[in-house]
Amino acid sequence: AAPVIAEPLIEIDQQIIRQLRELREGLLLRIIELFRTTSPGLLQQLTAAVADRDADSIYKTAHNFKNSAANLGLVELAAACRECEASARRNRLEKSDTQLKVIQTLYELSLQALILLEQEEQRQ
């Protein structure tokens, strides 16, 4: 069997990407860079908050993470963060470990997709 080439298994909302490209030259690359520098901290905070079962902190961090993912059209990552945020707001933390794992996986996939997007952007 032919080897399967791993394409990033995550969808980026192309409409958001187009809007960022049209707004200002270089803006998309700057926002990708901003996401790359701020998101590890958010993920660390979220991991710590889940470990501490701190609903308020989970809620706030998931909310911020959702917003920065949504800014780049990272639909699935934003949705996973939204779900985590909603559970924490209701103080329902029994799924937070699973939610965190999903967020971590989608985050890794998002970073891969953003590298491809950057390369595409730099070629233009």
Side-chain angles (χ1 to χ4, degrees):
V4 179
I5 309 287
E7 272 289 294
L9 303 170
I10 197 155
E11 181 201 342
I12 297 183
D13 184 333
Q14 291 306 315
Q15 196 179 344
I16 290 176
I17 298 306
R18 261 197 312 279
Q19 285 168 347
L20 290 173
R21 280 185 175 133
E22 285 163 13
L23 269 173
R24 196 174 327 122
E25 179 139 3
L27 181 63
L28 176 59
L29 289 172
R30 273 214 299 286
I31 290 182
I32 291 174
E33 191 47 44
L34 185 66
F35 179 80
R36 195 173 280 129
T37 50
T38 58
S39 54
L42 286 171
L43 194 57
Q44 262 174 331
Q45 282 173 349
L46 190 59
T47 305
V50 167
D52 294 342
R53 291 294 183 258
D54 180 343
D56 191 49
S57 185
I58 294 173
Y59 168 72
K60 288 187 180 128
T61 311
H63 178 79
N64 291 340
F65 207 177
K66 174 193 74 179
N67 289 347
S68 56
N71 286 342
L72 270 171
L74 300 166
V75 185
E76 289 147 285
L77 180 58
C81 292
R82 186 180 306 114
E83 202 173 295
C84 183
E85 172 194 25
S87 300
R89 192 172 47 224
R90 294 194 306 272
N91 209 8
R92 302 286 302 273
L93 302 183
E94 59 277 359
K95 287 198 194 126
S96 38
D97 291 311
T98 312
Q99 287 170 335
L100 180 64
K101 280 200 183 73
V102 170
I103 289 169
Q104 287 167 332
T105 304
L106 291 173
Y107 174 65
E108 290 304 322
L109 291 172
S110 296
L111 289 181
Q112 291 169 22
L114 290 174
I115 289 170
L116 292 182
L117 187 61
E118 258 178 334
Q119 290 169 346
E120 197 183 299
E121 193 64 8
Q122 284 158 350
R123 276 198 300 270
Q124 292 188 359

